[in-house]
Amino acid sequence: ICALLFASLYILCHFIITHFKKHTDFAAVHDDEDAAVNRIALGLCTFTLAVALGAVLLLPFSIISNEVLLSFPQNYYIQWLNGSLIHGLWNLVFLFSNMSLVFLMPFAYFFTESEGFAGSKKGIMARVYETSVVLLLLTLLVLGMVWVASAIVGNDAASRQSLYDLWEYYLPYLYSCISLFGVLLLLLCTPFGLSIMFTVTGKLLVKPRLLEDLDEQLSCTRFEEAAVSHRI
């Protein structure tokens, strides 16, 4: 069931990305290497978008499935909407979201920008090696920054000891830091986006004639007529 749900989200996200994706020069047919790199990056971006969409829809899906089970407790055909399915979906979304945030999206970006190390044989594997090295250095840099931030905020042995457990403490802490940065960026960009949206909407919408002042329009027309007569 989880595989079917994710496959449906993946297909939907693939159509969304291919609809909005711009046709670039490196995706030409005559360049097989760049076209293959573009397809791999497209697949990674589609996977990440599917995971993000699944994370957004997970809470409404949990609420709806719970209400359906409470409304039809004896129905055999909806017993697959149980607690184990929801718990498994939450675990998979947490796992794939961390993997997409830390590895897949940086790998897709560096993979499209890579050209292989100097002196190495050109090809897909050369780009994979360069991307892996750059991603490893970036991972070490991010982990070190999170470690330093944790040491500054919580300067005790317990907080430093908790970071040794990578899965239980370190990744959730890193995920929370990046989510906080995303929320701050959203709060910073949302007012500008709303102001632009209202400005564009005001330009596109036509003012209703019921709200127009006819006396003011008649006065303007008389002034324009007087000005034209004066010029003549």
Side-chain angles (χ1 to χ4, degrees), residues 59-76:
L59 182 59
F61 180 77
S62 303
I63 297 174
I64 293 173
S65 62
N66 186 36
E67 293 297 328
V68 170
L69 286 177
L70 291 178
S71 301
F72 306 98
Q74 303 298 329
N75 196 336
Y76 175 77

Side-chain angles (χ1 to χ4, degrees), residues 54-220:
V56 171
L57 297 177
L58 190 56
L59 182 59
F61 180 77
S62 303
I63 297 174
I64 293 173
S65 62
N66 186 36
E67 293 297 328
V68 170
L69 286 177
L70 291 178
S71 301
F72 306 98
Q74 303 298 329
N75 196 336
Y76 175 77
Y77 296 100
I78 60 173
Q79 294 303 314
W80 56 275
L81 292 171
N82 48 22
S84 61
L85 175 63
I86 304 301
H87 186 70
L89 288 176
W90 278 97
N91 291 331
L92 290 176
V93 166
F94 180 75
L95 172 63
F96 288 144
S97 59
N98 279 284
M99 185 173 64
S100 301
L101 185 64
V102 179
F103 296 105
L104 296 185
M105 288 305 295
F107 184 87
Y109 175 75
F110 292 129
F111 192 52
T112 55
E113 297 293 332
S114 64
E115 296 180 357
F117 291 110
S120 61
K121 186 179 179 181
K122 299 297 181 181
I124 298 294
M125 294 308 299
R127 292 190 174 192
V128 171
Y129 293 150
E130 180 185 356
T131 305
S132 301
V133 172
V134 174
L135 185 59
L136 178 61
L137 295 177
L138 179 64
T139 303
L140 294 177
L141 177 63
V142 173
L143 292 179
M145 292 174 62
V146 174
W147 186 280
V148 172
S150 175
I152 294 175
V153 174
N155 191 13
D156 54 351
S159 62
R160 290 192 296 269
Q161 185 68 27
S162 64
L163 293 179
Y164 287 107
D165 196 343
L166 182 65
W167 180 255
E168 294 292 335
Y169 295 98
Y170 203 105
L171 286 180
Y173 183 75
L174 179 62
Y175 191 81
S176 300
C177 292
I178 298 177
S179 301
L180 177 61
F181 177 75
V183 170
L184 294 177
L185 185 63
L186 179 65
L187 292 176
L188 180 63
C189 297
T190 298
F192 297 101
L194 289 177
S195 63
I196 295 173
M197 182 179 67
F198 284 116
T199 302
V200 173
T201 305
K203 292 180 179 179
L204 294 178
L205 293 179
V206 179
K207 186 177 180 180
R209 293 187 177 273
L210 295 176
L211 301 178
E212 293 180 353
D213 191 356
L214 297 179
D215 295 332
E216 183 179 357
Q217 289 187 0
L218 289 175
S219 300
C220 293

